[in-house]
Every structure is written in C-alpha cells, then in structure tokens.
Amino acid sequence: MRSSWGSGSPGGWPSEPLQEVALTKRICVIGTGYAGLANAACLADLGNGVIGVDRDQAKIEQLNHGVLPIYEPGLAEIVRRNIQAGRLVFSTSYDEGMQDAELVFVCVGTPSGVEGETDLADVEQAAIEVAKRIHQPVVIVNRSTVPIGTGDWMSDIIRDHLQSPDTPFTMVSNPEFLREGSAVYDWMHPDRIVLGTTDPPAAEKVSQLYRSLGAELIITDPRTAEMIKYAANAFLASKISFINEIANICEALGADVRTVAHGMGTDQRISPHFLEAGIGWGGSCFPKDVKALAYIAAVHGQHPQMLRAVMEINTDQRKRAVTKVREILGGFRGKVIGVWGLTFKPNTDDLRDAPSISIIHMLQNEGAIVRAYDPVAMDKARNMLPRIVYCDSPYSAAEDADAVFLVTEWNEFKQLDMARVRDLMRRPILLDGRNVYDPQRMREMGFIYRGMGRGYSGESLR
Ligand code: NAD
C-alpha cells in the first residue's frame, strides 16, 4: 500500500507533499479504529503530519479513498480535509509509518480475554513492530486502555526488540477519554489531558501537541495514568448501575426514576450525567474495562465487590426488560417482537457488547421472531445477528408485532407517529428501555407501556 511521509494519498485527493506544508510534528498512529482514526484526524487537523497505520488492508484502502469504515459524526469531513491538505495518509506499512516519526501513538484494540483479563496481543505486536523500526529518538504514546503496569511491560518489549540497543525511546501513557458519537468534539475539547511518564522532556513534547486545546494537563507516573482511565470508566458505569438499582426500587414503590434522577442530578456534587436509568451500559469500553479492573484487582488479592455488583446490575437490567414483556405476553414462542435500535448507544455504528444483542438472543432463545430497525448499523449487524428480519423503518419493525422494545435512544425514535405505531402492532405493548416516552401519554394512546423505573400499576393486556 503506497502512502508515506511526503507522498499523496492514492484516493484521488489533491496530493500535496507532506514536507511542503507547515508540519508541527510527524506522528505515526498505530490502529485506525474508532479511537485511532479520531486521533489521527484530529492530530492532523492541528497541523501535524500523520500516518495512520493499520494491519487491516481493506480499512486502509477505504480511508485513503476518503471513505470512513465507521460511522462517527463529523469525522469524515476532517479526514477528507486533512488528506486533501497532505497532512494525513494511511498505510498498512510500519516501515512507512515509522520513517521519520517523532511520536508514535498506539491506539490498537484491547479486548477482553476469556477470564475478563485484557488481551494485550495487539499491543504486544504493535510494540514489537515499532521497536524493530526505531532508528532515532522517539516518544511512544499509549492511548489504548491497558492494565496498570502495561507501560513498563511495553518498554521492556521495545527494549528487547530494538535493532540498535542504544536508540533512545520513551513511553508516555496518555489515556483516551473520547466518546463514540462525539469523538471529534471530545478530542478537540478534552476535560483534561493525562500524561503518565517519568521523563519530563517527553511529557513536554506530548503536551505541546495538545497545548492549543487549553485543557488541564495532569502529569503523573505511568501506572497512575493507566489507573485514572480504568477508574473513570468504572465510575461512570457505576453511576448508571446505581441509578438502575434506584430505578428498580422506584418501580417497586411507585416512584418515577426520571424525576428522582433530575432531583439528584441538580445537586452539583452529583451532576446529571450518566444518571439515566434504562437497560444499562454496553459498548466497546465500559464492559471490558470494568471487567478488566475487577480482574486486575482480584489477581492482586483485592475483593472488587462494588465493581462486581456494577456488572451484575447491568446484566440484570437486560434480563429485566425481557421479563417485563414476558410477564404480559406469557412467553415469547411464536411472538413477533420489534426492536428499535441495535447500536450500544445513538450516533455510533458500534455494536460491541450492545444490549440489543443479548436482548435479541434472549428473545430468540424463547422462540420469538425479531424484526429490527437501526438507522446506521443494520449492515454491520447482519453477520452478528443473522436470524432477524431487518426492516427499513421503525414502523416496519412494529408491523404485526406483539411488542416493541426501544433499545437505543436514537433521536429518530423520539419523533415517531405513535398512533401509527399502535395501529400497526398486533398488540400495543411498548417496552421503553431508555425512558424516552411519557408513560401517561403512551397509556392514554392505548399502549401497554413499560419503562424502566417509572412506577406503573393497574395495567392489563387489552
Ligand atoms: P478498534 O477495534 O475500533 O480499532 C483497533 C484498530 O487497531 C483496528 O483497526 C485493528 O485493525 C488495528 N490493529 C490491531 N492491532 C494492530 C497492530 N498490531 N498493528 C496495526 N493495527 C492494529 O478499537 P477502538 O475502539 O478504536 O479502541 C482502541 C483502544 O482505544 C482500546 O484500548 C480502547 O479501549 C481505547 N479507547 C476506545 C474508545 C472508543 O470510543 N472506541 C475510547 C477511549 C479509549
């Protein structure tokens, strides 16, 4: 795959040699997935010369043609703009990526292993490939979410694979906090930049990249930096599980969790964020990161009971949603169930550990026929969920349905003609997994409405 510093991209964009544009730093970004692509594009947008290296050839070909392999609002425009400006190219070649690179950003995946541990195979491979090509001083910035101590482990791997043992390199842990769905905004407006290193000049070099963003800089040791990322994700997941537990208590006692959350969230010490009750969290980060932190804690002799409860509550929420409808229908065998939303949250096409997947599996295992609609992720879902009927609209998913589950709160679902939905359904049972609708209004319209923690009573199947 052709693409290197100074070459244009092969995708038909005007190719301006990288040397001829004003470059701030030359950066190689390893891994061009959800996090790496946002990093590569945003670093280029700040004026740096960036090569994104990924082992996935199809992905690199798409990117060099200005086509995004993922759905991320606003990112395509930045990628194209920087390809055109000659600041951003993509390659499958580490040789090209490492040539002249002053900084290497590691953004490869760190999925869960079988026991909940972090699978560091991709990080290890990236470290080895980088090490073999270090011929000048370089700062290696780790943005992947990795277990505490991984920075030291990567340093050892790199040292073992250097071609000339005296070439200086430094590791800096720089956890990534962006959210899918608002990755560009988050990258450009970080609440803080965390740098973990014992080398002040390396910290200075990395912090220069972010200076124009005006964020608070927190410089600490690598292990503390790595821990900040896990602790932050575990806390956010805990907040959601907490409000879900409160939701379940609300439900038993006839209180409304949305108002409870509002009443709590207006307290500045609590804040309203991540206090939305529903069918719980999913995605590529919270599930694996909470699990990994619990695993690390346990293998180091700790008893992570709160983290375990946070995960258990989350799993239970998905089951609870299914139970609510099973109780009304008396079982799912032969029942048609509409599912609105497949992605783990709106504004992304990411299906990793999405609640929809486990909910659909539960429904199918009990004999339901699932009709689903998602605004962006249906093509991606086909491999993962081959046995469902994919529909071209939320209305079509509701057709002849015995119940509809709202799983992902895409804006599109907030503005539906609900009278039409009701009329299309065989039975007007609505499981509002994200508490999007007004329960009273839905009941007045004739729906048998079930939210999450919204205090209902006295309903019967029409
Ligand atoms: P991803 O699976 O979307 O992307 C990883 C990319 O790395 C893939 O394109 C893969 O082909 C490539 N890759 C893997 N090993 C490689 C190697 N050795 N050489 C070259 N390319 C390689 O993953 P992601 O969601 O972007 O996450 C990456 C890391 O960032 C994870 O540690 C994740 O926890 C962290 N993170 C992600 C997000 C997010 O919103 N997705 C946010 C914060 C942090």
Side-chain angles (χ1 to χ4, degrees):
M1 168 64 53
R2 180 178 77 92
S3 309
S4 63
W5 302 119
S7 77
S9 65
W13 303 106
S15 56
E16 198 175 344
L18 280 171
Q19 288 93 337
E20 289 173 19
V21 289
L23 299 180
T24 308
K25 292 273 188 308
R26 292 179 181 279
I27 304 169
C28 174
V29 175
I30 314 279
T32 59
Y34 288 87
L37 189 54
N39 272 274
C42 293
L43 285 164
D45 216 43
L46 294 183
N48 300 289
V50 179
I51 293 194
V53 173
D54 202 291
R55 63 182 177 197
D56 183 335
Q57 182 145 6
K59 194 177 269 189
I60 290 300
E61 268 165 25
Q62 276 184 301
L63 286 169
N64 273 327
H65 285 80
V67 176
L68 246 61
I70 56 167
Y71 175 85
E72 180 59 49
L75 188 55
E77 191 193 326
I78 298 187
V79 167
R80 286 190 202 123
R81 180 164 73 227
N82 285 283
I83 290 176
Q84 277 176 327
R87 287 189 296 265
L88 180 61
V89 286
F90 297 96
S91 175
T92 51
S93 162
Y94 272 89
D95 287 339
E96 290 180 352
M98 287 299 294
Q99 191 190 339
D100 300 334
E102 300 161 70
L103 294 125
V104 178
F105 274 53
V106 177
C107 299
V108 299
T110 50
S112 282
V114 276
E115 304 285 335
E117 79 282 12
T118 306
D119 179 347
L120 289 171
D122 290 348
V123 174
E124 183 176 18
Q125 195 202 2
I128 293 170
E129 296 305 324
V130 166
K132 289 196 286 196
R133 294 164 179 85
I134 297 179
H135 304 299
Q136 62 195 31
V138 67
V139 177
I140 297 153
V141 181
N142 185 39
R143 298 227 83 181
S144 294
T145 303
V146 292
I148 295 90
T150 301
D152 297 336
W153 175 77
M154 285 173 78
S155 289
D156 290 344
I157 293 173
I158 292 170
R159 210 168 290 115
D160 288 348
H161 289 84
L162 285 174
Q163 300 299 295
S164 47
D166 298 330
T167 323
F169 74 91
T170 315
M171 285 292 315
V172 176
S173 164
N174 175 206
E176 177 56 80
F177 297 101
L178 64 76
R179 294 162 298 176
E180 286 174 23
S182 53
V184 174
Y185 180 88
D186 291 351
W187 201 97
M188 291 291 186
H189 303 87
D191 291 329
R192 74 305 208 187
I193 297 290
V194 174
L195 300 179
T197 180
T198 47
D199 181 357
E204 172 59 23
K205 193 162 189 176
V206 180
S207 68
Q208 279 171 9
L209 295 172
Y210 299 114
R211 194 147 291 156
S212 63
L213 305 180
E216 182 184 348
L217 193 62
I218 299 170
I219 300 182
T220 181
D221 62 274
R223 284 170 186 250
T224 305
E226 289 161 349
M227 186 65 188
I228 287 171
K229 174 64 190 175
Y230 276 113
N233 270 4
F235 183 77
L236 293 173
S238 303
K239 249 187 124 176
I240 299 172
S241 283
F242 175 83
I243 199 66
N244 279 336
E245 183 150 294
I246 295 295
N248 298 340
I249 301 169
C250 283
E251 213 164 271
L253 300 173
D256 187 307
V257 74
R258 273 186 61 127
T259 311
V260 171
H262 181 64
M264 289 169 64
T266 43
D267 184 329
Q268 287 180 20
R269 294 168 302 176
I270 297 173
S271 108
H273 305 294
F274 288 76
L275 267 192
E276 278 136 19
I279 48 178
W281 38 274
S284 63
C285 292
F286 285 5
K288 79 173 173 62
D289 293 346
V290 180
K291 219 187 286 176
L293 184 56
Y295 178 87
I296 304 164
V299 296
H300 285 85
Q302 304 306 306
H303 179 38
Q305 51 193 318
M306 180 165 155
L307 297 178
R308 287 180 181 146
V310 164
M311 290 187 280
E312 200 181 326
I313 292 167
N314 198 51
T315 309
D316 285 353
Q317 281 309 97
R318 299 175 184 190
K319 294 182 193 156
R320 196 176 176 96
V322 174
T323 301
K324 282 170 188 270
V325 177
R326 189 193 299 110
E327 276 171 6
I328 308 171
L329 285 175
F332 289 107
R333 185 140 308 279
K335 298 291 190 300
V336 176
I337 307 295
V339 171
W340 288 346
L342 296 171
T343 54
F344 83 92
K345 66 174 182 181
N347 297 320
T348 180
D349 60 352
D350 201 342
L351 290 159
R352 288 177 283 185
D353 219 330
S356 66
I357 295 173
S358 39
I359 287 174
I360 287 172
H361 284 155
M362 281 184 252
L363 294 170
Q364 288 181 326
N365 287 344
E366 294 185 39
I369 299 147
V370 174
R371 297 173 62 81
Y373 168 77
D374 185 278
V376 303
M378 292 205 287
D379 281 344
K380 278 199 173 167
R382 276 178 222 276
N383 286 336
M384 239 179 254
L385 297 163
R387 290 192 298 119
I388 62 180
V389 181
Y390 290 92
C391 302
D392 59 9
S393 75
Y395 299 105
S396 161
E399 241 172 76
D400 289 329
D402 293 287
V404 162
F405 282 59
L406 177 117
V407 177
T408 317
E409 67 278 32
W410 286 94
N411 276 341
E412 183 175 340
F413 302 140
K414 297 175 184 167
Q415 304 290 336
L416 294 174
D417 176 349
M418 293 303 284
R420 182 175 165 205
V421 170
R422 178 202 57 210
D423 293 346
L424 284 166
M425 294 175 71
R426 190 181 301 161
R427 288 182 232 211
I429 299 169
L430 180 60
L431 186 286
D432 182 1
R434 300 295 179 181
N435 290 342
V436 160
Y437 304 108
D438 177 353
Q440 197 184 336
R441 202 174 112 70
M442 290 302 114
R443 287 179 188 133
E444 281 166 9
M445 289 183 76
F447 282 101
I448 298 164
Y449 174 90
R450 294 290 183 270
M452 305 297 284
R454 313 216 54 189
Y456 59 86
S457 61
E459 284 183 329
S460 61
L461 190 55
R462 275 200 329 188

